[in-house]
Amino acid sequence: MTSLLSVQAAGLTDSGSYVCDGSQLPADGTEGVKLSSSVDVTVWGFTAELKDVAAESGGVFSLTCSATGHMEASIEWIRVTSGEEVAVTSTSVYDISSFTTTATTEQIQDSGTYTCTAIFGQAYPITQSTYVAIFGKIFACIL
């Protein structure tokens, strides 16, 4: 006998302990066999989606990438502007279950797509992106 549990489109709430119990009772009434097996499953992923940002040149904006998983993650930021990738310096704050990185910048040329990559040990990296638009100050002249 074989039993297969398949979870499609697993989400963070699917993390937990899964138990499989099985038994075989012989037809002749003799004592049967009971087996039990369990496995702990941790689904890793982002705890919130990044939101697009519009900020004024010379101001400050913050992007926070928060991921959770079964082990400590490293988080990297990349900005893509005009097809060129640039690593973004960031600061990291860790607690027991989530890993957050905040990137802050102040210049108009910092407009572009920002991608956050979370890497959990040897597992595949996960990424999410958002667009940041930096706009200049508007001056009006009345004649």
Side-chain angles (χ1 to χ4, degrees):
M1 175 190 321
T2 301
S3 175
L4 172 68
L5 172 66
S6 177
V7 178
Q8 302 296 316
L12 295 176
T13 58
D14 293 315
S15 293
S17 185
Y18 288 80
V19 177
C20 177
D21 291 325
S23 62
Q24 184 171 358
L25 301 173
D28 65 5
T30 59
E31 191 171 324
V33 176
K34 293 183 180 182
L35 299 172
S36 182
S37 178
S38 67
V39 64
D40 289 326
V41 174
T42 301
V43 178
W44 60 84
F46 293 108
T47 57
E49 289 186 36
L50 290 172
K51 305 285 187 203
D52 289 349
V53 173
E56 186 177 351
S57 177
V60 175
F61 71 89
S62 241
L63 299 173
T64 300
C65 179
S66 181
T68 187
H70 66 287
M71 62 182 67
E72 187 171 299
S74 63
I75 294 181
E76 301 170 354
W77 285 95
I78 292 178
R79 181 186 77 238
V80 178
T81 304
S82 302
E84 181 182 340
E85 288 188 3
V86 178
V88 178
T89 303
S90 60
T91 58
S92 298
V93 178
Y94 296 95
D95 71 24
I96 293 171
S97 62
S98 69
F99 311 97
T100 302
T101 295
T102 302
T104 305
T105 187
E106 304 178 346
Q107 300 173 0
I108 198 164
Q109 60 266 33
D110 291 324
S111 290
T113 300
Y114 285 71
T115 299
C116 167
T117 301
I119 304 164
F120 297 90
Q122 299 299 317
Y124 292 105
I126 56 175
T127 63
Q128 66 174 339
S129 298
T130 192
Y131 187 78
V132 175
I134 308 295
F135 55 91
K137 295 181 181 176
I138 300 173
F139 295 97
C141 210
I142 301 175
L143 300 176

